[in-house]
Amino acid sequence: MGSEMGLRERKRRQTYEAVSETAIALFLERGFDKVSVAEVAAAAGISKPTLFRYFPAKEDLVLHRFADHEDEAARVVAAGRAEGTAPLPALRAHFREGLERRDPVTGLCDNPHVRAYYGLLYGTPSLVARLYGYQERSEQALAAELGGGLGARIAAGQIIAVRRILAEENWRRIVAGESERALYPEAVRAADRAFAQLAQGLGAEYGEA
């Protein structure tokens, strides 16, 4: 039973990826607003109702790539840190690791395909608006792992905002022509400064190693 469910989940995941990649290719070629959901469904070889079962909104066809990152910060706090390590040091280390491997979510990636994708994302207002919904869910998940309550919500909001701002700044500089290799040391320093500021503001509860 377990293997059958695992196979079903893998097939579902493959469908997600295939449909999303088909949609993104069409959007990059013709523009997000000039491609209909029906055209995406036809190109992917599925019906429009089936597509909407996988992707509730047209924007989700593009933002699917962010789905795996939606609860990333919460996962780091919940299970991705060594015993005795506070949330902020763990999250800073995780962001730095992302910079080191040039994870696109950090903005420090000058791969042409990634640049084209982010150009589509940030150049389409409805996609940017939808992205904020993903970030709000990231805040909610992180707040829950930080213990819940108003203080945790405020801390989570600041942490997610800092991660977003760092990524956007890296992306802005990549678009301006800087290479990921040249920018990397400064991106690391910026991340360290930002998380240090967070630690000062949030205090010992979240910031001590």
Side-chain angles (χ1 to χ4, degrees), residues 20-201:
S20 177
E21 291 302 318
T22 297
I24 290 170
L26 288 172
F27 297 150
L28 287 173
E29 179 184 354
R30 293 163 49 195
F32 181 79
D33 294 325
K34 294 182 179 179
V35 178
S36 69
V37 172
E39 288 175 299
V40 173
I46 60 176
S47 69
K48 187 175 175 180
T50 298
L51 185 148
F52 277 123
R53 283 202 296 272
Y54 284 97
F55 300 95
K58 181 181 176 183
E59 289 78 9
D60 293 328
L61 287 159
V62 177
L63 294 171
H64 167 63
R65 291 183 179 180
F66 283 87
D68 289 341
H69 296 283
E70 193 170 289
D71 62 347
E72 187 174 66
R75 292 198 307 266
V76 171
V77 172
R81 56 189 172 123
E83 184 176 354
T85 302
L88 273 179
L91 289 164
R92 179 184 60 196
H94 181 264
F95 192 86
R96 287 189 58 162
E97 288 166 6
L99 292 172
E100 186 174 357
R101 65 176 182 269
R102 307 303 193 262
D103 189 331
V105 80
T106 66
L108 189 68
C109 183
D110 57 14
N111 178 285
H113 297 292
V114 173
R115 290 188 61 170
Y117 171 80
Y118 274 98
L120 169 68
L121 172 60
Y122 289 119
T124 309
S126 62
L127 290 174
V128 174
R130 188 76 171 179
L131 179 60
Y132 280 106
Y134 278 69
Q135 292 171 340
E136 183 177 358
R137 289 190 291 275
S138 294
E139 291 178 16
Q140 292 170 352
L142 179 56
E145 291 299 336
L146 292 176
L150 181 59
R153 287 176 58 195
I154 292 172
Q158 292 181 63
I159 292 166
I160 297 301
V162 161
R163 284 160 50 102
R164 173 182 59 79
I165 292 167
L166 288 169
E168 287 179 354
E169 177 62 13
N170 290 336
W171 166 246
R172 182 191 66 78
R173 295 181 64 169
I174 290 289
V175 170
E178 297 186 54
S179 71
E180 60 184 34
R181 183 176 180 179
L183 182 55
Y184 172 71
E186 192 167 342
V188 170
R189 288 193 294 270
D192 287 344
R193 287 196 301 269
F195 277 94
Q197 288 178 331
L198 276 174
Q200 291 175 359

